[in-house]
Amino acid sequence: MERMKIVKTQDMCISIPICRIVRTEVQKKEDGNWIVVAVIEHDRAVTLARYPTEDDALAAETKMWLCEEPFFIFPVIGGDV
C-alpha cells in the first residue's frame, strides 16, 4: 500500500492529507503578499503559505504537487511567515 503524502502549512500548525485537497490557488492579497490557498473537500479553504512574490508562491505550489516524499512542508522564503 502506498503511503499517503501529508502537506504541512508554512507555520506547521495544520497537516492535511494531500488526497483531501481538491485544488490549490495562488492569490494576491496586497502588495508584496501572495498566498497559496488549498480548498479541502468537505471543509473550508486553508492558507498554506505566504510569499513576497507570485513566482515564489507558484514555485512552492508546484513543488507541493510534485513532491514524492511522505511529507511536504511549505518553505519559508523572504522573511516572516
Side-chain angles (χ1 to χ4, degrees), residues 12-30:
M12 297 181 65
C13 290
I14 299 172
S15 297
I16 305 162
I18 198 162
C19 64
R20 289 198 57 224
I21 298 175
V22 176
R23 69 177 185 277
T24 55
E25 300 175 355
V26 172
Q27 301 175 355
K28 184 176 184 180
K29 297 310 279 183
E30 55 192 48

Side-chain angles (χ1 to χ4, degrees), residues 29-78:
K29 297 310 279 183
E30 55 192 48
D31 288 340
N33 190 7
W34 292 82
I35 61 172
V36 179
V37 177
V39 176
I40 311 300
E41 68 179 20
H42 309 297
D43 208 347
R44 59 186 168 77
V46 174
T47 299
L48 300 172
R50 186 175 312 272
Y51 294 102
T53 69
E54 181 180 21
D55 288 343
D56 291 337
L58 289 170
E61 176 193 30
T62 301
K63 287 178 186 175
M64 180 202 81
W65 287 112
L66 298 177
C67 176
E68 294 182 7
E69 300 297 320
F71 287 93
F72 179 81
I73 302 170
F74 274 87
V76 176
I77 298 175

Side-chain angles (χ1 to χ4, degrees), residues 1-5 68:
M1 182 178 190
E2 189 174 321
R3 293 182 70 178
M4 183 183 335
K5 181 168 54 173
E68 294 182 7

